[in-house]
Amino acid sequence: GDVYKRQSKGYATTLGRLTLPTQMIYAISPMTFGLMMERVGTSGVLLVALLASLVALLAMLHLMRMTNAMTS
């Protein structure tokens, strides 16, 4: 009983701090993509989305490599 109370102390605050950047991106992205679509068109927006996805993929692959190196 007591172990769970100590582990859950501050859980909501920690979770909020971890998810805040993601939630901010979710909130701002529709407006950002709408403005980009007005300026560079659909093809430009798709190119930006593709590049962002590739950067995210490379970051995840890098994290996987770092994790595997730490556990080996």
Side-chain angles (χ1 to χ4, degrees), residues 19-20 33 40 54-55 61 65 68:
T19 60
L20 180 64
F33 273 85
V40 296
L54 288 175
V55 168
L61 291 173
R65 227 179 273 139
N68 289 338

Side-chain angles (χ1 to χ4, degrees), residues 30-66:
M31 181 180 67
T32 304
F33 273 85
L35 290 172
M36 285 174 36
M37 195 170 290
E38 286 180 355
R39 294 186 186 251
V40 296
T42 307
S43 298
V45 172
L46 287 173
L47 181 62
V48 169
L50 174 67
L51 292 174
S53 297
L54 288 175
V55 168
L57 175 64
L58 291 173
M60 291 188 59
L61 291 173
H62 180 67
L63 287 173
M64 255 179 39
R65 227 179 273 139
M66 286 175 48

